[in-house]
Structure formats: structure tokens, C-alpha cells
């Protein structure tokens, strides 16, 4: 696409992920246009996603976070970048914006043919006592990260509090732990990573505790305490967490001011409404990045997804179209990933909770495969949760936690969701395999086998959460542990009877048919065979999805060690 539109003037508000992508794409689409980026901060096109790793010291030089400079924008793209310039108003009729030079204080009007709004989002700051104390931070910009690093060094910070356990909070907590700082993580909800299902976030909590973090889940901050500087964070319970530094990361709000004042349409999800060409309710104004809401490819509803991938792609589309091109942005699946010390957690599409809220009847399946062939050294287990539409088998979402190999599996699943694939399609994927990388049955394919077996009705399945509910509700049912007696004694579900798979056929005369049975093994594979044997002999039987591994991840306190008096196959 190469348009020749005479001296079109394209103005861009915000010069980071979405704004910089929009401007450069606009240039590629239109060599003649005059393109100006207004950025109120001191840097253009910086890597905000890299900030936690600058705080940790893994990225040592601040300059490495600066992907472009105004000079390079000018030389390479003939784009005029004006730093410290804040856009304060839009006159849609006159096609002008009001711009304030933050250094001189001067205000000017700038004419546009096309305007692209990419002002991002700002961190939510709760109006709590002491929130403005030096030592209380948010982490959004390069100067934020620089100040945080300076304070860590100059105050010789030994204790820190992170408020909010979303992905930025976790990355900051990791950065503190890496530096030997006593780290307290406070989260209002009873789990980390609110966008994940609780049992999938649980291993992260256990891992952080193992790494020395202090978790305060289901806890709220009441105040930041200190005189001249921060001295501690007070929880609503009254507990005081002494700290020299606190980072508040409880979410972001889109920078809607300009759009609202200009009367642009704001949607139910709280973002600027755009069409698939990233055009707002004003045909000459485009918007992209954290400020917009876009269509979820899973639910068809409009959502806000403040992530860098969508911001860059939306910016590209907005830039191309503003410059006279014709591109569309299809929507988002919602894929994210976070490293927490030695674990990685990732999610694509919907969690089980989100699927229910969206009105689906979700089919849920857990698998715990090795990330590569078990016989090749160094393999580690992945915990995978797949969520599909019980009616159609379409994959709706996936969550994966593990030490390695998480990233490529979540991306395969994200691609599957993007393509509208079903659990049966996952069974047929043709993925790369050699022992150091994967298994002949890749974890994604294995997850597909298990979910598709369930979907086709080849096996009845119960999830750990459902089993716990049934047991708690006093439902009459028998739980059989088909692992070896040694594994059983090492830890089993309360009330479960030991019935090793190898002896199951010979023990059938001791299992009456009146009670429904749930069987489990470590990950669900041996118990799948047990299910088949029992079902063949006329038993009403379900397999525990994810086996003992997922059970103990979901309910670490509901594990019994040692023998129990009962045991069918002993
Ligand atoms: P921004 O990148 O926020 O840029 C908006 C710019 O507009 C800002 O520089 C702002 O100063 C400027 N601006 C606002 N209003 C005006 C105005 N009126 N006039 C002039 N300029 C204005 N996402 C991921 O996908 N993966 C990650 O690992 C990840 N890590 C992150 C870590 C941190 C610490 C942070 C803060 C974010 C992270 N994100 C991550 C989110 C990602 O960075 C954002 O989704 C993305 O930057 C949004 O791009 P944007 O262009 O819409 O907004």
C-alpha cells in the first residue's frame, strides 16, 4: 500500500507503543504526509514492559529501554516528535488540537486532517492516607523506574511492599526478591493473578513463599505511614508492614480525558469505541492502545485489554488507515505471560470463571505433562488447564504454569483460539518434536486428547473443585486411588481408598456397584485406564481431571499422608 495524498497532516497523541507504531505505519503508507507525535513525557517509544527488569538490575542501562529517539524518528521516518508536549483539547469542528509545551508553559493550536489518539492508561492510585509520601511508587515510566532504583540504592532499602498481585506487581516483587529485599505482597483477592483461576494461580503463591516472599492475600491496605518518608504500610487488619518502599500496581485506567471532552463515544467496557479500522465515532479521529476497547474474538463482546501486543497492532492499523490505507484489526484473544522467579504463568482466552460469566457451559480439563520427553534429562512438568465450549468443543481459553516450555504452548493455544479451533483440532496438530524440545505427544496435543476424550463422552470427568464440592456436600461416592501403595502413602485425597491399577481387575469383586466411583492417579492417565476397566464392568465411574497433582495444587491442605485402614487392592 503506497498512497500519495498531498500534504495530509496526521497528528498523534502519545508516542509509546500504540502511538509510535501508528506514526511509523502512517509514514510507510504515505510518504508525503506531515506526521507529528506529541508526547508529554521525556521519552518516545520506550519499553515500559522492560521497566521491572531495569528495577531488578537485569537490564542495567536505562538507555537500553529507549527503543527510538526523536532524532532517529526524524532521520529515518521524517516524523516530528515533540517531547514534553501535552495535548489538552480537541476542537473537532475546527480540526485542531490544543497543545501545551510543558517546559515553556506556552499553548498553541495545531491543525490536523487526521488525529490518532494513543494516550495509553494511567495507574490507579487509591486515595489512601500517605499515598503521596516519598517512597510510594507506581511503575509506568522510565523516570518512575529510575527513581525507584535510586531510592533502593540511596536508602539501602531492606523491606518493600508491593500492592496488587497482577502481572506488574508480580514482576516488581520478583525484582525486589532478586535483590535480597524482604518483600511483602498485598492483594485484595484471596489469590494472585486475578485473571487466572484460583487453582492455577496457587503454584505461583507457593513458589513465591518458597522464595521468601510474604504474601498477604485477601488483605487491603489502609494507609501508607511515615513522616518525611515512607516507614511502613498499614493493612486494614491493623497490621503494620515496615517498609522503605511501596509499589502500587492495582490496575490502570484509560486516559479518556481528551476523548470524553471531545464527545467521542465511550463504550460499556470503559474505553474509546473504535470500529475494526480503529476509527472512533469521529471519522477523522482514530484511537489505539490502552485507551480503546476492542472486540474479544472469544466472546464477541467489547473488552479492554491493556497489553503491548494489541497496542502495537492497533497502532499499525490506525496509522495505516489515518494515512489513507485500508487495514482492519480483527480483535483480541487476550494472551499474557509473566515470569515469577523460576516459574512462568500464562493465559490465553477465557478462564473458567470468565467463560461462565460470558454464558458458556465450560468443559474444563487439566493435564500435567512433561515439557519434553520424560526420558531426556531436564524435563519439568507443566500444569495446563483447558477451557472449551461444552456444546461445540471450541477452545475458549487456556492457562499454563511451569518452569519451562510455557511460552510456546500458550502461543500454540492462542493461535488455536484465534483460528476458532476445537479440542478435536488440537488432537490433530502437527507440532515439532525432538526429545530436548517436546514429546511425540506435545503437551498441547496431550491436552487436546484429554479434553476431546471428555468432549466426545469417552470418559466421564470430574474436576478437583467439583469433587471437593461433592465430598463436602456429603454425596455418597467412593474415591479410588489407582497409583501404587507407596504413592498413596506419600499423600492422597482424604477418604480415598488405595486400589492400584495393576490389581484392579482382580479386585472388582470387592467393589460394589451401588456407589458412583471417582478414580485418580498422579495426573489422570492411569486412572483413565482404570475408568475404562470399571466402565466396561458396568460401574458408574469418573476420572479426576489432572489427578492428584491438580488436586494438591488446588487443595494443598486436603492431602493425607500415610495409610488408611481401607484399601481395595492391598
Ligand atoms: P503507553 O505505552 O502508556 O503510551 C501512552 C503515552 O501517551 C505515554 O507516554 C503518555 O505520556 C502519553 N500521553 C498521554 N496523554 C497524553 C497527552 N494528553 N498528550 C501527550 N502525550 C500523552 N504489556 C505486555 O503485553 N507485556 C508485558 O510484559 C507488559 N509489561 C508491562 C510492564 C509495565 C511496568 C507496564 C507499565 C506496562 C506493561 N505492559 C505490558 C503494558 C503495555 O506496556 C501497555 O499495554 C502499552 O504500553 C500500551 O501502549 P499505549 O501506547 O496505549 O500506551
Amino acid at each position: 500500500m503506497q498512497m500519495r495524498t498531498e500534504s495530509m497532516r496526521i497528528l498523534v497523541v502519545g508516542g509509546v507503543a500504540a502511538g509510535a507504531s501508528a506514526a511509523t505505519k502512517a509514514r510507510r503508507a504515505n510518504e508525503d504526509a506531515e506526521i507529528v507525535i506529541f508526547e508529554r513525557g521525556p521519552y518516545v517509544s520506550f519499553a515500559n514492559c522492560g521497566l521491572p527488569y531495569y528495577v531488578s538490575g537485569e537490564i542495567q542501562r536505562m538507555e537500553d529501554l529507549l527503543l527510538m529517539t526523536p532524532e532517529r524518528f526524524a532521520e529515518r521516518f521524517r516524523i516530528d516528535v515533540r517531547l514534553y508536549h501535552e495535548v489538552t483539547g480537541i476542537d473537532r469542528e475546527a480540526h485542531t488540537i490544543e497543545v501545551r509545551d510543558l517546559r515553556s508553559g506556552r499553548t498553541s493550536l495545531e491543525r490536523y486532517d487526521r488525529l490518532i489518539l494513543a494516550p495509553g492508561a494511567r495507574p490507579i492510585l487509591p486515595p489512601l492516607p500517605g499515598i503521596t509520601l516519598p517512597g510510594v511508587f507506581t511503575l509506568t515510566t522510565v523516570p518512575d523506574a529510575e527513581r525507584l532504583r535510586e531510592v533502593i540504592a540511596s536508602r539501602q532499602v531492606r523491606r518493600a511492599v508491593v500492592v496488587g498481585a497482577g502481572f506488574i506487581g508480580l514482576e516488581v516483587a520478583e525484582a525486589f526478591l532478586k535483590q535480597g529485599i524482604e518483600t511483602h505482597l498485598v492483594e485484595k483477592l484471596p489469590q494472585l493473578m486475578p485473571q487466572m483461576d484460583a487453582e492455577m494461580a496457587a503454584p505461583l503463591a507457593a513458589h513465591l513463599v518458597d522464595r521468601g516472599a510474604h504474601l498477604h492475600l485477601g488483605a487491603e491496605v489502609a494507609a501508607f505511614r511515615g513522616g518525611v518518608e515512607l516507614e511502613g504500610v498499614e493493612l486494614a487488619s491493623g497490621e503494620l508492614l515496615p517498609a522503605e518502599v511501596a509499589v502500587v500496581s492495582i490496575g490502570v485506567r484509560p486516559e479518556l480525558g481528551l476523548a470524553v471532552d471531545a464527545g467521542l463515544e465511550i463504550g460499556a467496557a470503559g474505553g474509546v469505541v473504535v470500529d475494526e479500522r480503529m476509527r472512533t465515532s469521529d471519522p477523522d479521529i482514530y484511537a489505539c492502545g490502552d485507551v480503546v476497547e476492542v472486540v474479544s474474538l472469544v466472546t464477541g463482546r467489547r473488552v479492554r485489554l491493556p497489553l503491548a501486543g494489541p497496542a502495537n497492532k492497533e497502532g499499525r492499523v490506525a496509522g495505516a488507515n489515518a494515512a489513507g490505507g485500508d487495514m482492519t484489526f480483527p480483535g483480541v484473544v487476550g494472551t499474557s505471560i509473566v515470569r515469577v522467579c523460576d516459574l512462568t504463568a500464562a493465559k490465553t482466552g477465557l478462564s473458567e470463571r470468565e467463560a461462565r460469566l460470558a454464558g458458556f457451559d465450560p468443559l474444563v480439563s487439566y493435564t500435567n505433562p512433561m515439557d519434553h520427553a520424560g526420558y531426556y534429562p531436564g524435563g519439568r512438568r507443566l500444569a495446563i488447564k483447558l477451557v472449551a465450549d461444552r456444546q461445540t468443543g471450541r477452545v475458549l481459553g487456556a492457562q499454563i504454569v511451569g518452569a519451562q516450555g510455557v511460552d510456546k504452548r500458550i502461543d500454540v493455544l492462542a493461535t488455536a483460539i484465534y483460528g476458532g479451533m476445537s479440542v478435536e483440532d488440537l488432537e490433530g496438530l502437527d507440532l515439532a518434536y525432538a526429545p530436548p524440545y517436546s514429546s511425540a505427544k506435545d503437551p498441547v496435543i496431550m491436552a487436546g486428547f484429554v479434553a476431546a476424550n471428555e468432549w466426545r463422552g469417552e470418559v466421564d470427568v470430574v474436576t478437583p473443585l467439583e469433587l471437593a464440592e461433592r465430598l463436602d456436600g456429603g454425596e455418597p461416592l467412593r474415591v479410588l486411588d489407582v497409583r501404587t501403595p507407596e504413592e498413596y502413602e506419600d499423600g492422597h485425597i482424604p477418604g480415598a481408598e488405595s486400589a492400584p491399577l495393576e490389581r484392579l481387575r482382580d479386585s472388582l469383586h470387592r467393589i460394589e456397584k451401588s456407589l458412583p466411583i471417582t478414580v485418580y492417579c498422579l495426573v489422570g492417565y492411569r486412572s483413565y485406564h482404570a475408568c475404562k476397566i470399571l466402565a466396561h464392568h458396568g460401574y458408574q465411574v469418573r476420572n479426576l481431571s489432572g489427578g492428584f497433582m491438580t488436586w494438591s495444587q488446588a487443595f494443598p491442605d486436603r492431602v493425607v499422608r500415610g495409610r488408611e485402614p481401607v484399601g481395595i487392592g492391598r
Side-chain angles (χ1 to χ4, degrees):
M1 169 179 38
Q2 187 65 39
M3 307 294 299
R4 289 198 66 83
T5 313
E6 284 311 314
S7 62
M8 174 191 272
R9 193 156 201 255
I10 300 172
L11 305 185
V12 184
V13 184
V16 189
S21 298
T24 49
K25 186 68 181 175
R27 168 57 70 227
R28 286 189 286 271
N30 188 329
E31 180 59 16
D32 302 321
E34 182 188 350
I35 303 172
V36 187
I37 296 177
F38 297 95
E39 168 54 58
R40 70 177 169 205
Y43 302 108
V44 67
S45 192
F46 65 89
N48 21 22
C49 307
L51 296 175
Y53 308 102
Y54 178 63
V55 173
S56 73
E58 282 168 275
I59 297 174
Q60 289 181 357
R61 293 167 355 116
M62 185 275 277
E63 298 75 47
D64 291 338
L65 297 170
L66 307 179
L67 308 175
M68 286 287 284
T69 59
E71 294 71 30
R72 281 179 63 199
F73 266 107
E75 285 162 13
R76 188 175 293 176
F77 300 110
R78 261 200 321 112
I79 291 173
D80 178 4
V81 176
R82 303 196 196 159
L83 299 178
Y84 297 106
H85 278 67
E86 181 168 31
V87 177
T88 51
I90 305 170
D91 185 334
R92 286 166 54 188
E93 215 151 287
H95 274 58
T96 57
I97 58 172
E98 185 182 81
V99 183
R100 188 162 38 170
D101 179 339
L102 297 176
R103 283 172 301 190
S104 69
R106 268 202 304 273
T107 296
S108 60
L109 288 182
E110 297 281 346
R111 181 191 63 80
Y112 67 83
D113 294 303
R114 297 283 156 76
L115 179 64
I116 301 176
L117 297 179
R122 67 166 73 217
I124 297 171
L125 272 181
L128 292 173
I131 189 87
T132 55
L133 274 174
V136 181
F137 287 85
T138 55
L139 185 62
T140 313
T141 63
V142 174
D144 290 342
E146 284 186 300
R147 274 197 299 274
L148 185 51
R149 254 174 75 145
E150 269 160 35
V151 169
I152 290 172
S154 65
R155 282 195 77 190
Q156 294 178 338
V157 168
R158 286 187 301 112
R159 294 160 306 186
V161 174
V162 178
V163 186
F167 70 88
I168 296 178
L170 292 179
E171 287 172 353
V172 171
E174 184 202 63
F176 288 155
L177 287 168
K178 269 192 180 215
Q179 294 170 82
I181 296 170
E182 181 185 308
T183 305
H184 292 258
L185 184 54
V186 182
E187 166 59 52
K188 195 161 123 179
L189 295 174
Q191 67 171 82
L192 306 179
M193 289 292 279
Q195 60 273 53
M196 292 180 78
D197 290 318
E199 77 284 9
M200 295 306 289
L204 296 178
H207 185 61
L208 274 173
V209 169
D210 193 50
R211 288 308 162 97
H214 302 265
L215 303 189
H216 305 267
L217 300 179
E220 281 192 63
V221 171
F224 298 91
R225 297 288 180 210
V228 185
E229 305 202 69
L230 180 75
E231 285 163 18
V233 176
E234 189 182 317
L235 302 183
S237 64
E239 189 181 354
L240 184 72
L241 309 173
E244 296 88 40
V245 151
V247 175
V248 180
S249 53
I250 58 170
V252 294
R253 260 196 208 109
E255 285 273 10
L256 288 176
L258 288 172
V260 168
D261 290 349
L264 299 178
E265 188 185 347
I266 309 298
V272 175
V273 171
V274 287
D275 64 13
E276 60 185 6
R277 302 179 72 245
M278 303 312 294
R279 203 161 57 171
T280 67
S281 50
D282 180 322
D284 289 328
I285 304 180
Y286 292 76
C288 44
D290 286 0
V291 79
V292 300
E293 53 180 60
V294 285
V295 173
S296 158
L297 294 172
V298 188
T299 63
R301 298 180 191 171
R302 293 188 156 269
V303 291
R304 283 197 301 112
L305 189 69
L307 289 173
N312 277 279
K313 289 178 290 180
E314 292 157 9
R316 235 177 128 243
V317 172
N321 293 335
D326 187 16
M327 283 181 76
T328 53
F329 181 73
V332 293
V333 167
T335 307
S336 58
I337 189 161
V338 64
R339 186 188 72 190
V340 184
C341 303
D342 288 339
L343 278 188
T344 300
K347 179 193 172 204
T348 183
L350 306 182
S351 66
E352 179 183 354
R353 192 180 53 233
E354 290 164 343
R356 287 187 199 288
L357 281 174
F360 290 102
D361 175 12
L363 177 148
V364 170
S365 106
Y366 299 91
T367 41
N368 295 281
M370 301 294 278
D371 76 294
H372 64 246
Y375 61 83
Y376 184 86
R380 304 285 294 272
R381 280 205 189 272
L382 297 167
I384 303 181
K385 179 174 183 176
L386 208 61
V387 180
D389 178 5
R390 195 177 291 279
Q391 239 183 344
T392 61
R394 178 165 72 107
V395 184
L396 300 174
Q399 295 159 74
I400 310 183
V401 181
Q404 57 197 24
V406 174
D407 50 350
K408 80 164 171 168
R409 273 52 187 238
I410 206 73
D411 282 345
V412 172
L413 287 161
T415 309
I417 296 174
Y418 186 89
M421 288 166 64
S422 72
V423 288
E424 286 191 317
D425 292 320
L426 297 183
E427 289 182 294
L429 288 178
D430 190 353
L431 302 177
Y433 162 60
Y437 302 106
S438 182
S439 302
K441 289 178 260 187
D442 183 87
V444 171
I445 295 173
M446 187 57 94
F449 287 166
V450 172
N453 283 345
E454 184 184 342
W455 185 64
R456 285 188 295 259
E458 287 175 28
V459 59
D460 273 343
V461 166
V462 62
T463 67
L465 273 70
E466 287 162 353
L467 177 61
E469 267 172 28
R470 282 167 194 225
L471 292 172
D472 292 347
E475 218 174 278
L477 70 102
R478 194 163 192 176
V479 181
L480 301 184
D481 182 327
V482 300
R483 298 174 298 164
T484 64
E486 292 72 30
E487 287 175 279
Y488 174 85
E489 277 167 29
D490 221 29
H492 58 264
I493 296 175
E497 300 168 69
S498 176
L501 175 62
E502 286 70 19
R503 283 179 251 159
L504 188 63
R505 286 185 182 90
D506 299 331
S507 313
L508 292 176
H509 61 283
R510 294 168 61 190
I511 310 174
E512 75 278 10
K513 290 200 170 129
S514 55
L515 280 184
I517 296 173
T518 294
V519 288
Y520 73 87
C521 61
L522 183 64
V523 294
Y525 181 61
R526 281 173 285 175
S527 53
Y528 173 41
H529 288 285
C531 258
K532 286 291 179 194
I533 295 169
L534 290 165
H536 183 75
H537 285 89
Y539 290 88
Q540 238 191 92
V541 59
R542 286 171 188 259
N543 192 10
L544 178 65
S545 189
F548 183 68
M549 197 165 266
T550 305
W551 172 275
S552 47
Q553 182 179 305
F555 304 110
D557 300 335
R558 294 180 73 166
V559 171
V560 180
R561 286 176 214 291
R563 279 166 192 255
E564 288 200 37
V566 282
I568 286 160
R570 284 178 174 280

